[in-house]
Amino acid sequence: EIVLTQSPGTLSLSPGERATLSCRASQSINSRYLAWYQQKPGQAPRLLIYGASSRATGIPDRFSGSGSGTDFTLTISTLEPEDFAVYYCQQYNTSPITFGQGTRLEIK
Amino acid sequence: EVQLVESGGGLVQPGRSLRLSCTASGFTFGDYAMSWFRQAPGKGLEWVGFIRSKPYGGTPEYAASVKGRFSISRDDSKSITYLEMNSLKTEDTAVFFCTRASSYNGYDSSSYWGQGTLVTVSS
């Protein structure tokens, strides 16, 4: 099983700042099979990034993904108030499909 | 507009069964794999399983934690996918989400999610 470890667990920033979220895999992943999701309280997750760096439909360009192998990053260039949420990375390279434990992005 | 609506959740006793349904609209249902995920209260996301589209075998795959107890099926004529859950345990308590994969293969990101349905396993 591929274990995904996200860091930090909680990130406290202010609107307008830049956010950098990390996802590290226990073994190498084909970057085609790495996604990022955003989840707000009481809501279903929303796909942000697939294939490590491709934005999903309707996702603002302040969200970007990068990385390869075992290290992947989600960057939010300029935080908007609606961006404060929990973010999960997901690998769908091999079974079982797994998620990181999440990074909570909170308002400082 | 793509819509996924789960139903069938509720309170069930340990050891009993429950069937969840996910009714889809807004896309050609038969072209896509359909997946189920769950989220225990206050916890992260967990993959439950998926079923491939029929042209690609229509076969399911499951997480180890549910294999042998849960079963995923699909009725393309009704645009519904089902999650049959047997021998339920208290640790199965979660919000269950139905999702549409981005392709015929379940090993894919989930472009669309339902709102989720809560399953509570308790005596």
Side-chain angles (χ1 to χ4, degrees):
Chain A
E1 172 174 327
I2 296 178
V3 176
L4 300 178
T5 302
Q6 293 185 240
S7 61
T10 301
L11 185 57
S12 299
L13 293 169
S14 300
E17 292 192 291
R18 180 184 185 90
T20 303
L21 287 66
S22 173
C23 176
R24 177 162 289 178
S26 59
Q27 58 187 274
S28 185
I29 297 171
N30 184 321
S31 60
R32 290 177 57 190
Y33 303 109
L34 192 286
W36 290 91
Y37 297 85
Q38 176 194 69
Q39 188 178 32
K40 297 180 180 179
Q43 296 185 16
R46 177 173 71 144
L47 177 66
L48 299 175
I49 301 287
Y50 64 93
S53 60
S54 296
R55 272 188 299 278
T57 303
I59 301 304
D61 61 7
R62 64 180 181 273
F63 291 91
S64 63
S66 62
S68 63
T70 59
D71 290 301
F72 298 89
T73 300
L74 174 69
T75 301
I76 310 171
S77 60
T78 305
L79 284 167
E80 298 288 343
E82 62 267 28
D83 298 337
F84 292 90
V86 178
Y87 292 82
Y88 295 95
C89 58
Q90 177 204 38
Q91 70 80 24
Y92 41 99
N93 191 4
T94 58
S95 183
I97 293 170
T98 53
F99 290 88
Q101 81 282 15
T103 289
R104 180 178 304 278
L105 178 55
E106 64 177 27
I107 299 177
K108 187 173 182 180
Chain B
E1 178 192 7
V2 173
Q3 286 196 320
L4 301 171
V5 179
E6 302 97 338
S7 58
L11 175 63
V12 60
Q13 293 179 325
R16 304 297 291 266
S17 299
L18 199 64
R19 187 178 79 163
L20 305 183
S21 301
C22 171
T23 302
S25 60
F27 63 99
T28 304
F29 184 78
D31 287 351
Y32 294 90
M34 298 298 295
S35 301
W36 289 90
F37 295 89
R38 66 183 179 182
Q39 188 169 37
K43 302 298 185 183
L45 297 164
E46 180 187 13
W47 173 63
V48 173
F50 65 70
I51 186 164
R52 294 179 177 86
S53 66
K54 288 239 171 86
Y56 291 92
T59 51
E61 293 201 26
Y62 302 98
S65 59
V66 305
K67 195 169 185 178
R69 299 190 299 124
F70 289 13
S71 175
I72 299 173
S73 61
R74 61 190 298 155
D75 184 338
D76 289 359
S77 68
K78 296 181 180 177
S79 297
I80 298 178
T81 185
Y82 300 100
L83 177 63
E84 185 79 40
M85 303 183 292
N86 300 314
S87 304
L88 282 160
K89 306 175 182 180
T90 55
E91 52 263 41
D92 293 318
T93 293
V95 174
F96 283 75
F97 296 101
C98 161
T99 79
R100 194 201 83 175
S102 299
S103 71
Y104 64 89
N105 186 357
Y107 288 113
D108 209 338
S109 57
S110 287
S111 318
Y112 297 94
W113 294 63
Q115 83 286 354
T117 187
L118 176 62
V119 173
T120 303
V121 184
S122 174
S123 54

